[in-house]
Amino acid sequence: MDEIEIPSYFLCPISLEIMKDPVTLSTGITYDRESIEKWLFSQKNNTCPATKQVLMDSELTPNIILRRFIQSWCILHAPEGFERLPTPKAPISKSQLLKLFKDAESPNMQMKCLQRLRSIASQNETNKRCMETAGTAEFLASLIMKKTVEASSAEVSEDVIELRRASDEALSLLYHLHLSGSGLKSLLENNIEFIESLTSVMQSGNYDSRVYAVMLLKSMFEVDDLKQPINLRPEFFFELVDILNDQISQAASKSTLKVLISVCPWGRNRIKAVEAGAVPLLIDLLLDSSDKRASELMLMALDLLCQCAEGRAELLNHSAGLAIVSKKILRVSSTANESGIRILLSISKFSATPGVLQEMLQIGAVTKLCVVFQVFDRGSKTKERAREILKLHARAWKNSSCIPTNLSSLYPS
């Protein structure tokens, strides 16, 4: 095999291996389906790897003529060790999917249909895109909502288990479809009922389903960017706090933090998150966190929650609240620095009692602010916020013996 020269146009430009299922992009370049699907869908690229052109669409056209050439060539060179390539399966059709949706209306057929859909999705990314176009996400979301409602009113435990089993299977499949941005948006738009169903799953679902629910919520909120406030029930925030507290996995915890950050720019949601116990939990987690990204997300969430009086009160009621925020500044990242200084600014502007000002001196928060003011570049927002805090309480802090002499001489006037 090493001595035989393989025609260059038989080789995928990405994998540099013989193409098993050649498909052509709109740019005219042919790739092996598995490689180009990974590039486009798993890695979220929108360009042709060879030409670097931005793709107006991601349609993959089977190059049947080239595939037959490759198959014939492999047969011809079978004595040299080349195996004939099997003809790939055709992508799933919309009519086949619609039939499965129809069959799933029968309770006795639902699990079988869901398992068939999972098998179809696992074959390749093209099937996943076909499934999305055919409305599979809407079908699964509707099934999850229906089963969640039925499970909440079922009286027999065996019925509850079976209903949740169907809901869990549908949710797992929905998550693993890895929907496009438009697909995720359509799930969220005008569909508060679906969010409430995911809240129920977070409350009573199994280990995997709770993770899928919060990770799907994260993806939905990230894509939509939540330009309009969503009126979320208090239970939603209690379940987020429970998942954070359970520390199911790093991925689940980070997704939960991102969901909190997405929904808490609005005051009503902030208060609900605070009432659910988010602030003391975030402080406790921050005390033990050595993960850079997790620490950043916790500080970002605390920053949002400290923009309401209830959140600031919870932070100050925790014996380590101010101390851990101060400690993380200059120890994690520029993102953490920005969030930490913003938290201290909120406290200094709206909750600065004499006791709080004295605590900030004793724990070294004022010294940390002086260092930030000294080392950050002119024009930096973080530097300007540190300056604002120091000037705001100069009378209480400027001449304190708690500030090292080399820093007190640089105190802003």
Side-chain angles (χ1 to χ4, degrees):
M1 291 177 64
D2 294 338
E3 297 174 359
I4 297 175
E5 184 176 348
I6 302 172
S8 60
Y9 53 93
F10 285 6
L11 303 178
C12 173
I14 297 175
S15 68
L16 301 180
E17 296 178 354
I18 293 179
M19 291 183 279
K20 299 176 182 177
D21 186 7
V23 292
T24 304
L25 289 179
S26 57
T27 57
I29 307 297
T30 297
Y31 301 90
D32 192 41
R33 182 184 293 278
E34 182 179 352
S35 296
I36 193 61
E37 285 184 345
K38 183 177 180 181
W39 168 267
L40 292 174
F41 305 124
S42 300
Q43 299 176 5
K44 307 293 184 183
N45 293 300
N46 66 344
T47 57
C48 172
T51 66
K52 309 303 181 188
Q53 288 178 258
V54 176
L55 300 170
M56 301 308 294
D57 64 70
S58 56
E59 183 176 354
L60 305 176
T61 304
N63 193 330
I64 298 173
I65 294 175
L66 177 58
R67 189 189 75 223
R68 288 174 178 168
F69 272 135
I70 295 172
Q71 288 174 328
S72 298
W73 187 90
C74 288
I75 292 172
L76 183 64
H77 292 85
E80 286 83 18
F82 290 92
E83 296 182 1
R84 183 188 184 279
L85 300 179
T87 300
K89 291 182 179 180
I92 191 71
S93 68
K94 184 175 181 179
S95 60
Q96 289 173 297
L97 291 169
L98 292 178
K99 183 179 185 305
L100 280 172
F101 300 163
K102 181 70 175 176
D103 291 344
E105 292 177 4
S106 167
N108 295 332
M109 290 288 290
Q110 273 176 359
M111 285 303 298
K112 184 177 180 180
C113 291
L114 288 171
Q115 288 163 0
R116 173 62 181 143
L117 287 171
R118 178 186 286 276
S119 174
I120 293 168
S122 68
Q123 290 174 13
N124 53 56
E125 290 293 329
T126 297
N127 277 356
K128 289 181 182 178
R129 301 286 75 80
C130 293
M131 292 172 74
E132 180 175 339
T133 304
T136 304
E138 291 77 7
F139 162 73
L140 293 172
S142 175
L143 185 61
I144 292 166
M145 288 186 286
K146 180 182 177 182
K147 295 301 176 184
T148 302
V149 171
E150 290 175 356
S152 66
S153 58
E155 297 180 356
V156 182
S157 59
E158 287 80 4
D159 292 342
V160 173
I161 292 171
E162 193 60 30
L163 290 166
R164 285 180 179 165
R165 182 166 167 257
S167 173
D168 291 343
E169 181 68 21
L171 178 58
S172 172
L173 177 55
L174 182 57
Y175 173 76
H176 285 105
L177 281 179
H178 300 300
L179 298 174
S180 65
S182 58
L184 289 166
K185 276 188 178 181
S186 67
L187 282 181
L188 187 58
E189 289 173 354
N190 304 315
N191 205 349
I192 192 68
E193 185 183 349
F194 183 53
I195 296 177
E196 291 179 353
S197 294
L198 293 180
T199 302
S200 296
V201 172
M202 289 192 290
Q203 181 179 29
S204 56
N206 60 30
Y207 174 97
D208 289 335
S209 294
R210 295 177 73 203
V211 173
Y212 293 145
V214 75
M215 294 180 79
L216 185 59
L217 283 166
K218 184 264 296 183
S219 298
M220 290 161 57
F221 290 148
E222 278 183 343
V223 169
D224 191 70
D225 203 21
L226 291 189
K227 295 178 179 64
Q228 298 295 326
I230 297 179
N231 185 24
L232 298 163
R233 292 188 298 145
E235 291 84 354
F236 177 85
F237 296 94
F238 278 101
E239 298 313 321
L240 289 182
V241 168
D242 279 348
I243 290 179
L244 262 184
N245 188 48
D246 291 345
Q247 292 288 281
I248 297 173
S249 68
Q250 282 197 356
S253 294
K254 289 177 182 177
S255 293
T256 306
L257 289 166
K258 289 177 182 178
V259 171
L260 265 179
I261 292 165
S262 295
V263 300
C264 283
W266 296 284
R268 198 177 304 172
N269 285 344
R270 286 182 200 142
I271 293 171
K272 291 174 185 175
V274 172
E275 290 174 345
V279 173
L281 177 60
L282 287 169
I283 293 169
D284 289 340
L285 293 174
L286 199 54
L287 284 165
D288 295 327
S289 176
S290 57
D291 182 280
K292 174 184 171 181
R293 185 56 181 155
S295 296
E296 289 176 343
L297 293 170
M298 291 172 199
L299 286 166
M300 291 167 69
L302 281 172
D303 172 28
L304 287 168
L305 298 180
C306 284
Q307 291 175 31
C308 68
E310 295 84 352
R312 292 191 296 275
E314 286 291 311
L315 182 94
L316 294 174
N317 283 338
H318 196 294
S319 59
L322 279 175
I324 191 59
V325 170
S326 174
K327 181 179 179 180
K328 292 295 181 180
I329 296 171
L330 299 179
R331 290 194 177 194
V332 180
S333 67
S334 58
T335 300
N337 293 340
E338 182 179 351
S339 298
I341 294 294
R342 285 169 59 95
I343 293 169
L344 294 182
L345 180 60
S346 293
I347 297 296
S348 299
K349 274 187 170 182
F350 306 111
S351 304
T353 64
V356 168
L357 296 180
Q358 185 60 32
E359 182 182 355
M360 291 179 73
L361 268 174
Q362 291 174 345
I363 63 174
V366 180
T367 298
K368 189 69 70 83
L369 289 167
C370 290
V371 173
V372 170
F373 178 69
Q374 180 184 11
V375 302
F376 276 59
D377 293 333
R378 184 183 296 274
S380 160
K381 288 185 178 180
T382 301
K383 180 186 182 83
E384 291 307 310
R385 290 189 181 107
R387 176 190 178 92
E388 183 181 354
I389 298 169
L390 291 169
K391 288 186 70 175
L392 195 61
H393 300 294
R395 183 176 296 179
W397 293 338
K398 188 172 184 179
N399 298 316
S400 172
S401 59
C402 293
I403 303 176
T405 306
N406 64 318
L407 292 176
S408 62
S409 61
L410 298 168
Y411 201 100
S413 55

